[in-house]
Amino acid sequence: MKAPELILQHSSAHCKSGTVYRSGESGALVKRIVILGGGFAAMATAQRLERRLLRDEAEFVLISRENFSLFTPMLPEVSSGALDTRDIVTPIRSQLHRTHFILADVTGIDVAAIAVSYTHILTGDKETISYDHIVIAIGAATSTFGLPGVAQRVFALKTLEDAGILRNRFIWLLELADTTTDDAERKRLLTLVVVGGGFTGVETAGEMIELFHSVARFYPNVRKDDVDIVLVEADKTLLPGLPQRMGSYSEHDLRRRGVRVITGDGVRLADDDGLELQSGTRIETRTIIWSAGIKPRSLEGSDALPRRKNGTIVVSNDMSVPGFAGVWALGDCAAIPNEEGGFYPPTAQHAIREGPVLADNIIAVMRGEPTRPFRYKTLGMMASLGARKAVAQLPGNRVLTGFLAWLLWRSYYLSRLPGLDRKIRVAFDWTLELVFPRDISELRVYTRRAQSSAAEDAGLVPKDEVVIK
């Protein structure tokens, strides 16, 4: 049987209804479903569609700028060296079997022409693909709220690259601090500020203090009291929006281990020497890690879609975009209404459950059946604090803290990690961490400095120094 052809550009084969002709033995007319993104929501949608639809019912296309899906709950552990970068990524192609994957940056959507434009990551070629149904799951980016000097000076922790950069940064700071003879400069180098006391901020601060305590013995000129990890939260408590006991326990545990926690005070500005808080408090630092907010990623042409003030796409409770047939949105970039009159939070546990419901609703529309609303009651929320401690909100608003909460956190997320090989690798790394200190190798593999050094060592001209006449 001849393999179906994927039509990438508008052609006469594109009917008024949006149905696309695929060549094959049956000569059947099938629908094309295009999914934008490669995160939890996008992958859950694609996997459900593959399970429920036959080959001659629809074709699936997933476009993502990365060829892997990232298990974001474990990013703080990668930044601290507790886990290896490859442990928390799973190739998209190994998770999907019938979906056509395109490694590309989505550059725009034209809802009038029912088409998506994209640029291939490796070749730079620009192409357009038509669709019958489009699923927008492009996620969110870091938001610095326009505060003066912040966007230019902070480190984010949203991507695998962010985690790798931070890990190298921590080791680089220790190396510098060990060699400098200026006590004031050493103090600035080893003062690290985490802004945002939500899940990412609390977990990052906990992992950072674990890293510095674990490797301090390798740096004889760095004293324990030289390291100053500061966690800043504008709200009155850490983990705002969750039971107060979770925030109070987190603050107490982090303080006990040496983290300086500042609550009820937000950031006013940042400059080359540090940051200033709303209260006027000044913190001299060379490293600011920002986890204080997110915003939906921008996509050219999506302005035609209804949006809330925070930029999220307005959807109905079945995750369809009102007034735009065949357009769906979910995950961090969508505002999905809940039964209480609010919106579901942008968390992984919601995204992996939104995907299957959205896929079912697309299938329902294709078959002329009614859609169903997304309904989900949060199982609970957890945050790891490092040092075998965590906090967890259980069903019924019960709170679990300490070692049992940490054990629950690790067990749950290990079970949710895609792929048996990844589960084994993470479990193995966690076991080694109980015995051995964190790795202090500073890896420069992907930096321009590393590439230039490698070229010079090989007797070649570094690529950034080649002059073409």
Side-chain angles (χ1 to χ4, degrees):
M1 180 176 176
K2 184 181 177 183
E5 295 176 359
L6 185 68
I7 303 169
L8 295 179
Q9 296 184 331
H10 292 295
S11 69
S12 58
H14 193 281
C15 303
K16 216 171 189 181
S17 66
T19 302
V20 178
Y21 176 83
R22 291 173 71 196
S23 62
E25 198 172 87
S26 64
L29 295 173
V30 301
K31 299 285 187 179
R32 175 182 293 150
I33 303 169
V34 176
I35 302 169
L36 309 182
F40 290 111
M43 296 302 296
T45 303
Q47 289 169 338
R48 181 69 157 217
L49 289 170
E50 286 191 344
R51 283 195 295 269
R52 288 207 55 200
L53 289 176
L54 301 175
R55 290 183 183 276
D56 60 356
E57 288 187 279
E59 64 176 356
F60 322 120
V61 180
L62 187 143
I63 307 174
S64 173
R65 71 179 322 275
E66 305 288 359
N67 77 339
F68 57 80
S69 59
L70 175 65
F71 198 74
T72 52
M74 292 181 180
L75 266 181
E77 292 189 84
V78 173
S79 70
S80 69
L83 293 177
D84 186 72
T85 53
R86 291 184 181 274
D87 290 348
I88 66 167
V89 297
T90 308
I92 288 176
R93 293 181 187 275
S94 70
Q95 299 178 75
L96 303 176
H97 309 292
R98 292 166 43 208
T99 301
H100 179 70
F101 173 66
I102 301 176
L103 182 64
D105 260 326
V106 178
T107 53
I109 177 173
D110 189 335
V111 291
I114 50 175
V116 174
S117 56
Y118 59 91
T119 302
H120 285 276
I121 294 292
L122 302 178
T123 65
D125 293 342
K126 301 179 186 298
E127 295 197 55
T128 302
I129 185 170
S130 56
Y131 63 83
D132 294 281
H133 292 274
I134 186 164
V135 179
I136 304 174
I138 54 177
T142 300
S143 173
T144 56
F145 310 106
L147 294 171
V150 172
Q152 298 81 12
R153 294 176 175 85
V154 300
F155 294 85
L157 188 54
K158 286 287 292 178
T159 68
L160 192 65
E161 186 178 12
D162 291 338
I165 289 172
L166 275 177
R167 183 192 173 284
N168 273 357
R169 176 78 177 182
F170 297 153
I171 302 304
W172 178 78
L173 290 169
L174 284 166
E175 295 290 349
L176 279 179
D178 192 59
T179 57
T180 185
T181 57
D182 186 335
D183 289 342
E185 177 61 15
R186 182 184 297 109
K187 185 65 177 174
R188 279 191 293 270
L189 289 169
L190 296 178
T191 298
L192 298 92
V193 181
V194 180
V195 179
F199 292 104
T200 301
V202 165
E203 292 183 343
T204 301
E207 284 298 320
M208 286 167 58
I209 200 69
E210 279 299 285
L211 168 66
F212 281 86
H213 285 173
S214 174
V215 303
R217 57 178 169 168
F218 300 118
Y219 299 92
N221 294 321
V222 175
R223 300 182 300 272
K224 185 176 179 179
D225 58 358
D226 287 332
V227 179
D228 187 14
I229 309 295
V230 186
L231 178 59
V232 177
E233 167 55 45
D235 209 295
K236 293 181 179 179
T237 62
L238 298 181
L239 301 175
L242 293 175
Q244 186 175 356
R245 185 184 167 197
M246 293 178 69
S248 299
Y249 180 89
S250 300
E251 181 174 345
H252 172 76
D253 183 73
L254 291 174
R255 286 185 187 277
R256 179 183 60 82
R257 288 158 51 205
V259 177
R260 180 155 53 112
V261 180
I262 299 175
T263 56
D265 202 356
V267 174
R268 191 172 78 84
L269 59 84
D271 55 38
D272 291 339
D273 297 316
L275 55 78
E276 185 177 313
L277 303 182
Q278 296 286 350
S279 63
T281 301
R282 178 83 191 171
I283 304 175
E284 301 293 322
T285 179
R286 293 280 188 262
T287 305
I288 305 168
I289 300 154
W290 191 268
S291 64
I294 59 173
K295 61 181 178 182
R297 296 186 186 278
S298 58
L299 179 61
E300 185 178 342
S302 65
D303 292 343
L305 304 177
R307 290 183 179 269
R308 295 181 66 224
K309 287 184 178 180
N310 66 358
T312 52
I313 300 171
V314 174
V315 298
S316 303
N317 56 17
D318 63 358
M319 290 170 282
S320 63
V321 179
F324 295 86
V327 180
W328 310 77
L330 76 169
D332 294 358
C333 67
I336 304 173
N338 60 27
E339 293 176 286
E340 286 75 38
F343 300 93
Y344 288 103
T347 66
Q349 68 170 295
H350 287 84
I352 60 179
R353 290 166 176 83
E354 291 163 7
V357 175
L358 188 148
D360 289 345
N361 285 337
I362 291 178
I363 295 169
V365 170
M366 290 171 59
R367 296 175 178 174
E369 300 169 355
T371 60
R372 64 186 177 97
F374 175 73
R375 292 287 180 259
Y376 175 65
K377 189 171 182 61
T378 304
L379 293 175
M381 309 291 271
M382 296 184 287
S384 173
L385 305 174
R388 295 185 284 282
K389 297 289 180 63
V391 291
Q393 178 192 27
L394 305 177
N397 214 28
R398 292 172 297 168
V399 173
L400 186 66
T401 61
F403 177 77
L404 289 179
W406 173 82
L407 197 61
L408 178 63
W409 185 96
R410 287 207 160 179
S411 301
Y412 175 77
Y413 281 120
L414 189 64
S415 71
R416 302 302 309 189
L417 189 66
L420 178 61
D421 59 331
R422 263 62 183 182
K423 288 181 173 69
I424 293 173
R425 289 175 184 176
V426 167
F428 187 66
D429 278 354
W430 280 345
T431 303
L432 290 178
E433 182 199 359
L434 298 175
V435 182
F436 300 105
R438 306 281 172 96
D439 191 351
I440 57 172
S441 303
E442 184 197 357
L443 304 178
R444 308 173 190 169
V445 178
Y446 302 110
T447 65
R448 176 173 294 184
R449 178 176 49 162
Q451 292 168 356
S452 296
S453 296
E456 290 171 358
D457 290 344
L460 305 175
V461 178
K463 288 182 177 62
D464 55 351
E465 294 180 13
V466 173
V467 178
I468 301 176
K469 296 182 179 179

